[in-house]
Amino acid sequence: MGTDERAVTIRMPVVWLWLLRVGGAVLGCAAGFGVAPLVRWLTGLVGGAPGPLRVAAQLPTVVAVPVLTVVGAGVGVWLAVVARRESPVVTVGGDRVLVVENGSALHVARDRVAAVFTDGRDLVVLGHDFGESVRVRVTDLPTDGLAAAFERFGYPWRGTADPHEAEFTGWVDGTPDLDGTAHSLLRERRNALRDKRVGAAADALDRLRAHGVAVRDRGGVQQYRRRESANGVAGGDEYSS
């Protein structure tokens, strides 16, 4: 977590990145000692082993260990780079919240924030109309660091549970409490997630929010909450601060 006189930035802890790098080297070293026995075991069990394993097993142990250690370290470095690139970065200042994820940035002005909390693995920012301005997966970010950053600047931090938890419902296509537009967008998002079309899923989510529907994923199921369902009145004053 880095700071300057205006803002606090929360990102993936550096120690996790080093664990990936060092862990890759350690696993590579262990593979150097164990690849020959592994190939013999696979051959006896299924009659063969993958080509790369057979090649590695041909090397003397004194060669296999350093070679596979270097390979493992390289894989660890690559994983650390990918993890750092894909992990969100949250910057909290006195006048705004900035969330950067996968090259995209989202800015939320301080006066638009009515509540901030974590919901499972997600960081959520609600507006005064009870709609979600931000919902981002923050598995790699320390919850204590997020709480401290928002509280430092006087944001309404609400803890580690969604105040509207009871209002979320698992989506069933065609249910009468949603209109045709919402169902169409939920189908679109479901299909995009299934096909790993991240951009299309994000676009459908943006349109659902604009339509007054908040969405989260739980156990592979889309759950939704209609914005007007919060206390029965959109834009209520429960979160006034």
Side-chain angles (χ1 to χ4, degrees):
M1 183 169 64
T3 65
D4 57 31
E5 72 274 12
R6 293 190 60 249
V8 177
T9 297
I10 306 94
R11 63 178 76 244
M12 176 186 285
V14 174
V15 66
W16 293 10
L17 301 174
W18 278 108
L19 285 174
L20 288 172
R21 298 172 184 131
V22 174
V26 170
L27 290 175
C29 180
F33 285 104
V35 67
L38 176 62
V39 168
R40 287 195 297 269
W41 178 75
L42 287 173
T43 301
L45 184 66
V46 297
L53 289 181
R54 294 198 306 271
V55 171
Q58 298 295 322
L59 299 173
T61 301
V62 294
V63 176
V65 169
V67 167
L68 293 182
T69 298
V70 171
V71 171
V75 172
V77 168
W78 175 76
L79 289 173
V81 169
V82 172
R84 185 66 176 266
R85 182 175 66 241
E86 295 184 350
S87 179
V89 177
V90 179
T91 299
V92 183
D95 60 347
R96 85 285 187 267
V97 178
L98 179 66
V99 179
V100 178
E101 183 184 28
N102 289 325
S104 297
L106 176 62
H107 176 282
V108 182
R110 171 66 179 85
D111 59 8
R112 290 176 51 204
V113 177
V116 188
F117 52 89
T118 54
D119 176 22
R121 296 179 292 174
D122 299 339
L123 173 69
V124 182
V125 177
L126 295 185
H128 294 286
D129 63 353
F130 296 97
E132 292 183 355
S133 301
V134 175
R135 179 178 285 272
V136 61
R137 187 64 53 87
V138 291
T139 308
D140 303 325
L141 305 187
T143 300
D144 290 348
L146 289 167
F150 283 105
E151 290 176 341
R152 170 179 173 177
F153 290 100
Y155 286 81
W157 177 258
R158 304 300 181 190
T160 56
D162 192 327
H164 300 298
E165 174 69 28
E167 297 164 14
F168 278 93
T169 303
W171 174 59
V172 177
D173 201 349
T175 188
D177 60 338
L178 291 174
D179 61 24
T181 299
H183 281 300
S184 177
L185 289 170
L186 284 162
R187 283 193 296 270
E188 184 178 328
R189 183 173 183 269
R190 176 198 61 194
N191 295 338
L193 290 172
R194 181 189 60 201
D195 298 339
K196 302 187 186 306
R197 292 181 288 115
V198 178
D203 179 66
L205 180 58
D206 286 343
R207 286 184 282 158
L208 280 160
R209 287 173 175 166
H211 195 62
V213 179
V215 180
R216 69 183 187 182
D217 299 302
R218 289 293 182 273
V221 175
Q222 295 185 105
Q223 295 183 345
Y224 68 90
R225 171 177 65 80
R226 291 179 299 162
R227 185 168 57 209
E228 64 270 19
S229 71
N231 291 339
V233 180
D237 61 0
E238 176 185 349
Y239 293 137
S240 60
S241 58

